[in-house]
Amino acid sequence: MPQYTRSELALLVLASALTLGGTQSALADTSASSSSNSRSSSPSSSNPGPGLQEINLPAGPLATALNTLARQSGLTLAADPSLLAGHSVAALSGHFSVQQALNTLLAGTGLQARQTAANSYSIVQGDPDSLPPVEVSASYIPTDQLPAPYAGGQVARGGRLGLLGETDIMDAPFSITSYTEQTIEDQQARSIADVLANEPSVRAASARTNINEDFTIRGLAVPSQDVALNGMYGLMPYFRVPIEMAERIEVLKGPSALLNGMPPSGSIGGSVNVVPKRATDTPLTRLTLEYLSDSIAGAHVDVGRRFGDNNAFGVRFNGMLRGGDSTVDYQEEDDELFTLGLDYQGERLRASADFIYQQQETQGMVRQFTLGPGVTDLPDAADGNVNYPGSWTDLEMEDSSGVLRIEYDINDRVTVYAGGGTRSSSMDALAGNPMLINNDGDYMYGPAWQIFNVDSVSYEAGFNMVFNTGSISHQLNLGATRVDQDEEIFFDFTSFAPGTGNLYESDNSRSVSTAGMQSNTVPWEDTTLTSYALADTLGFFEDRLKVTLGLRHQQVELQNYSFVTGDPTTEPYDESEVTPVVGVVYKPQEEISLYANYIEGLSPGPRAPVGVPTANIPPFESKQTEIGAKADWGQFGGSIALYEIKQPGGELVGTLFVSNEQRLRGTELSVFGNPVDNVRLLGGLSWIDSELTETSNADNRGNHAVGVPELQLNLGGEWDTPFFSGFTLTARAIYTGEQYVDPANNLEVDPWTRLDLGARYRTRMMDKPLVLRLNLENALNENYWGVATAGYLHTGDARTLLMSASVDL
């Protein structure tokens, strides 16, 4: 019997699944259409007509069926839960209009659906014209559920706005996008960076297989350590955020100090929140086998169950193994992820617990470049397959997290909540830090052994209350957060001889090892972030006009240490600041929302050196002013935003404070949903005018900011082909304009365009749903530079083939 590696064996299984799915699809479709256990009153179950869509609802409680219908169809529903209690429905399967599906589900219940706006309905008792509905939320979503997906399923109808809670996109005075599990799966995302590739305001700021996975949002740096878990900082894996356990990836553009508190690194460009998966009423056992070029194979299992009275208890498990040779020369990857999500949904009490374990290893890690003084004309970007500074580099990371959250409804108007979690992260890397030294792509590097350990604890508590004062509605929110984070480091760069290389050649000749060497970590930085916030959203004219006012008091405590001795290198930093927010939303029509906001972000000020009596500088307040408009035409939506962000900064040089500031003025356009039948669009464009308004070097004043392109465009489309049922073709273009690498604006990176192509096929295998996916990222194998706002350079990803087969068992 031939011997196979783990990667080869997984690839053989994947190929078998792909073949089996194709040969059995016709038989599976026939058996599915003849099932006698589901109702199918569709006018045309094989050839859906205009306005009809495929609906598949299992038998069960009416409330669950309506919630599932809202998710599948992108509806907004409102209902009093007491009207739905005690009603059950049979399974519903076929092609229906929205009204047909609602009428079928409500038949015999004494309830009716009344349309209140485009794609919006209310469930009422008896004659819909004689009894107004009681709306319990912006859409029919129990408080323990997420906002429903928008039409097309790629993004959600709302997202979490930190202190303000789950908010419909049309009611949010901010720019927010919430990417769904469907998008994550269909694009075969391997990390959060793959999901953010849909976002025109975001760009990757580091190589995929670098130590850390960082981003820019609205032209400002957002490192991976600032990604939140259910709105809480300090709990997600520190350097690279996994994706298999995510139900939603929510992106809020712009500063968000009042909404979320100050993130651990003080980033102000925006915030990214991961919403973990929860078990649904429908049992789930999903197996996905995948293959990535060069020869990476993997498997992902996703299991969810609910049990107990009224399905009150839920369990969701995700496990992933992936490994093999990547598209980068001499590079091997091995990833493991295991997550467990538990939840309880009672009449008044809701509780959840999440546990995350992730282990990653990369042999032949790729780092970013710095620029030496000999570079006067930036070399062309190398092929994404090139390994630099060499195959000897090695990276091992391990993360474990646990978090518990509890909510309790004191009554119908007041809810209290509390949460707490802990995270432990460790990184052990033998890395080279290359520096380009001339215009021909030659570089030098110094190997370094780096160990970095991070332990953090995060807490939150608060309450929200809804009430009226006369004709004015109120949503009052009070919250407190605290993040304690301790970092340790070991850094040895003196025990290894430096080396040289060339940007266009992979190097497999050198061997560098830490065998027999000793390591001893010492304290690096201790951080404590404590904040208290109060906000009130006032509704006028039956909530057509909403005004949000709020304040957050943020305290920042920091202590730095020497990575050599572990001794303090600065005086302790203990400063605080109060940041406000003003947000306004006005709906002249139900499908149009106009909004404006003023909000601030916080970054730590410089710390006074040891022995220097100069007081620490309070946290820098970055200020954003934004206006915009959003449209929701039922099946298709979009938005436009115009903003200005002023980001101050500076440093202490002895006892002298030297300030700097950059100003960003931008315009963002976004589109999502189904503009026509069987076609989905997702993406938009971002235009930013950046300027260095204050600099320590007067010659740089008025220049463009480093790593901020003027134009960024991301636009993806999907087409459900009419000639082959279940077959979808996809394409996405990502364009990034020219950008500068230095504050003097002497070195400029050329614009680049990346084209991604794909296809998927939804069918059935042995009466089980099967999805076959194929994606080709960077199909034209474009070579390009990526730029961080700190001036680092990294090469773009090479052409990558991804295939997977996903079956619900």
Side-chain angles (χ1 to χ4, degrees):
M1 178 178 177
Q3 298 297 313
Y4 296 103
T5 65
R6 183 175 69 175
S7 297
E8 291 169 336
L9 184 59
L11 180 57
L12 288 174
V13 175
L14 173 60
S16 299
L18 292 170
T19 303
L20 184 60
T23 57
Q24 295 194 2
S25 60
L27 178 60
D29 286 343
T30 302
S31 68
S33 64
S34 62
S35 172
S36 60
N37 293 326
S38 63
R39 290 183 291 164
S40 179
S41 57
S42 168
S44 178
S45 59
S46 60
N47 230 344
L52 304 183
Q53 53 188 293
E54 184 178 359
I55 303 295
N56 291 289
L57 306 175
L62 174 60
T64 300
L66 288 172
N67 191 41
T68 305
L69 176 64
R71 290 200 309 269
Q72 291 184 4
S73 305
L75 295 178
T76 298
L77 294 176
D80 184 340
S82 64
L83 294 178
L84 310 180
H87 294 294
S88 298
V89 294
L92 181 65
S93 179
H95 291 89
F96 302 84
S97 69
V98 168
Q99 190 67 61
Q100 288 171 342
L102 287 170
N103 291 344
T104 304
L105 291 174
L106 299 176
T109 64
L111 305 176
Q112 297 187 40
R114 182 179 68 180
Q115 187 166 7
T116 56
N119 217 36
S120 299
Y121 293 81
S122 292
I123 309 302
V124 298
Q125 177 74 54
D127 182 358
D129 295 323
S130 63
L131 184 64
V134 179
E135 297 196 7
V136 296
S137 62
S139 58
Y140 176 68
I141 311 167
T143 56
D144 57 295
Q145 299 291 325
L146 294 171
Y150 194 79
Q154 295 177 304
V155 297
R157 302 192 66 88
R160 184 185 179 96
L161 290 181
L163 177 72
L164 305 182
E166 299 289 351
T167 306
D168 189 277
I169 55 175
M170 300 295 285
D171 294 326
F174 306 98
S175 181
I176 182 172
T177 306
S178 180
Y179 297 98
T180 64
E181 181 185 3
Q182 175 182 315
T183 297
I184 295 170
E185 292 180 347
D186 285 344
Q187 296 181 357
Q188 302 186 74
R190 291 91 73 201
S191 74
I192 197 171
D194 297 310
V195 180
L196 297 184
N198 296 288
E199 180 58 56
S201 65
V202 176
R203 282 299 178 266
S206 62
R208 176 184 293 278
T209 55
N210 188 19
I211 292 177
N212 48 319
E213 193 174 58
D214 297 339
F215 315 96
T216 62
I217 302 179
R218 287 188 169 175
L220 298 167
V222 179
S224 55
Q225 63 169 298
D226 284 353
V227 174
L229 175 64
N230 259 344
M232 299 176 66
Y233 289 124
L235 296 175
M236 290 302 294
Y238 189 89
F239 289 108
R240 194 167 299 134
V241 178
I243 205 70
E244 288 80 8
M245 45 77 71
E247 175 76 19
R248 299 277 167 85
I249 302 295
E250 300 173 336
V251 184
L252 173 66
K253 275 79 81 176
S256 59
L258 178 121
L259 302 178
N260 301 296
M262 176 178 157
S265 77
S267 59
I268 58 95
S271 60
V272 181
N273 182 50
V274 176
V275 181
K277 292 177 180 177
R278 292 285 178 260
T280 63
D281 286 329
T282 303
L284 174 69
T285 303
R286 178 171 297 158
L287 174 64
T288 301
L289 301 176
E290 60 182 17
Y291 169 80
L292 294 75
S293 58
D294 196 16
S295 60
I296 295 178
H300 171 211
V301 61
D302 185 358
V303 180
R305 294 290 188 276
R306 301 206 69 85
F307 55 94
D309 293 341
N310 298 317
N311 279 344
F313 294 93
V315 178
R316 188 77 176 261
F317 170 80
N318 278 267
M320 181 274 293
L321 296 173
R322 181 189 300 127
D325 296 334
S326 79
T327 56
V328 177
D329 296 339
Y330 315 123
Q331 185 178 86
E332 297 180 15
E333 296 183 35
D334 281 290
D335 298 335
E336 298 179 10
L337 175 69
F338 302 98
T339 69
L340 183 65
L342 309 174
D343 71 280
Y344 170 78
Q345 307 297 335
E347 184 177 353
R348 290 185 178 271
L349 176 66
R350 295 171 297 281
S352 65
D354 291 281
F355 304 93
I356 304 170
Y357 175 80
Q358 176 178 255
Q359 185 173 4
Q360 298 181 310
E361 181 174 358
T362 303
Q363 181 70 44
M365 169 184 50
V366 171
R367 292 283 277 162
Q368 69 268 20
F369 286 99
T370 57
L371 298 178
V375 180
T376 58
D377 187 14
L378 199 65
D380 292 337
D383 190 291
N385 299 113
V386 174
N387 186 314
Y388 56 86
S391 60
W392 52 268
T393 58
D394 183 60
L395 170 66
E396 297 180 13
M397 295 189 293
E398 187 174 26
D399 294 88
S400 57
S401 305
V403 58
L404 173 67
R405 196 174 192 277
I406 298 174
E407 293 183 0
Y408 183 74
D409 297 331
I410 296 177
N411 53 44
D412 292 340
R413 295 181 176 271
V414 180
T415 298
V416 296
Y417 64 87
T422 181
R423 175 193 62 192
S424 178
S425 297
S426 63
M427 181 274 289
D428 189 336
L430 180 59
N433 300 291
M435 180 176 67
L436 288 171
I437 57 177
N438 57 37
N439 300 341
D440 298 323
D442 293 325
Y443 62 84
M444 61 182 298
Y445 63 87
W449 185 12
Q450 307 171 40
I451 298 176
F452 193 74
N453 301 325
V454 183
D455 292 316
S456 59
V457 181
S458 184
Y459 307 96
E460 70 169 358
F463 78 88
N464 55 71
M465 177 170 60
V466 294
F467 61 95
N468 293 334
T469 54
S471 61
I472 303 174
S473 66
H474 296 262
Q475 179 183 326
L476 186 67
N477 299 276
L478 175 66
T481 66
R482 183 181 176 94
V483 178
D484 291 315
Q485 184 165 281
D486 298 331
E487 304 170 24
E488 292 183 342
I489 194 172
F490 170 77
F491 189 75
D492 181 357
F493 62 95
T494 62
S495 300
F496 312 94
T500 60
N502 185 272
L503 172 63
Y504 305 108
E505 299 176 1
S506 296
D507 186 2
N508 193 35
S509 62
R510 185 176 179 184
S511 177
V512 180
S513 174
T514 61
M517 298 175 60
Q518 299 296 317
S519 64
N520 180 34
T521 59
V522 296
W524 173 246
E525 184 173 272
D526 296 338
T527 305
T528 300
L529 305 173
T530 308
S531 70
Y532 308 92
L534 175 67
D536 188 13
T537 299
L538 299 87
F540 303 88
F541 313 118
E542 298 182 343
D543 286 347
R544 290 179 61 189
L545 172 65
K546 290 187 175 183
V547 179
T548 299
L549 304 171
L551 293 171
R552 183 181 291 270
H553 178 272
Q554 179 77 59
Q555 183 179 14
V556 183
E557 300 172 75
L558 296 171
Q559 178 63 69
N560 288 101
Y561 303 88
S562 166
F563 71 84
V564 177
T565 65
D567 297 326
T569 57
T570 63
E571 293 291 341
Y573 183 92
D574 187 352
E575 298 289 338
S576 63
E577 201 63 67
V578 175
T579 57
V581 67
V582 179
V584 179
V585 176
Y586 175 63
K587 295 181 179 178
Q589 305 175 47
E590 189 64 29
E591 64 272 14
I592 300 295
S593 178
L594 308 177
Y595 75 94
N597 68 65
Y598 172 82
I599 192 168
E600 297 182 357
L602 287 179
S603 303
R607 279 138 281 183
V610 171
V612 175
T614 305
N616 291 312
I617 304 300
F620 295 120
E621 299 176 63
S622 298
K623 302 176 180 181
Q624 173 181 277
T625 305
E626 179 179 1
I627 61 173
K630 304 173 186 178
D632 177 5
W633 294 289
Q635 295 294 309
F636 186 63
S639 66
I640 181 172
L642 293 86
Y643 64 86
E644 178 182 85
I645 300 175
K646 293 183 178 180
Q647 182 194 28
E651 58 182 332
L652 283 169
V653 181
T655 60
L656 178 66
F657 174 70
V658 180
S659 67
N660 57 64
E661 182 186 74
Q662 65 174 324
R663 186 212 65 209
L664 306 169
R665 290 175 177 164
T667 301
E668 291 171 348
L669 296 172
S670 68
V671 293
F672 49 86
N674 299 1
V676 296
D677 289 344
N678 301 318
V679 173
R680 290 170 292 281
L681 290 181
L682 178 63
L685 65 84
S686 168
W687 177 85
I688 303 177
D689 175 28
S690 64
E691 182 181 345
L692 302 178
T693 52
E694 290 186 36
T695 61
S696 57
N697 184 344
D699 292 339
N700 295 335
R701 198 163 300 155
N703 287 351
H704 292 283
V706 172
V708 184
E710 252 191 359
L711 182 62
Q712 298 177 169
L713 171 69
N714 299 52
L715 186 60
E718 297 189 343
W719 177 41
D720 299 330
T721 61
F723 51 81
F724 192 8
S725 178
F727 187 65
T728 300
L729 295 174
T730 69
R732 178 176 63 188
I734 302 174
Y735 171 83
T736 301
E738 59 272 4
Q739 51 194 310
Y740 291 100
V741 188
D742 62 322
N745 289 181
N746 293 324
L747 298 174
E748 187 178 26
V749 168
D750 292 333
W752 55 268
T753 302
R754 175 181 132 184
L755 178 65
D756 301 337
L757 302 174
R760 65 176 176 268
Y761 179 44
R762 298 184 183 274
T763 182
R764 301 185 73 85
M765 180 180 70
M766 293 181 288
D767 204 29
K768 302 293 184 181
L770 173 69
V771 184
L772 309 177
R773 298 180 175 93
L774 185 148
N775 293 85
L776 188 62
E777 296 179 346
N778 195 6
L780 303 181
N781 207 26
E782 174 85 357
N783 298 338
Y784 59 92
W785 284 116
V787 185
T789 56
Y792 299 124
L793 289 172
H794 69 274
T795 54
D797 296 334
R799 180 192 293 122
T800 304
L801 174 68
L802 303 95
M803 296 190 298
S804 68
S806 181
V807 60
D808 290 357
L809 303 174

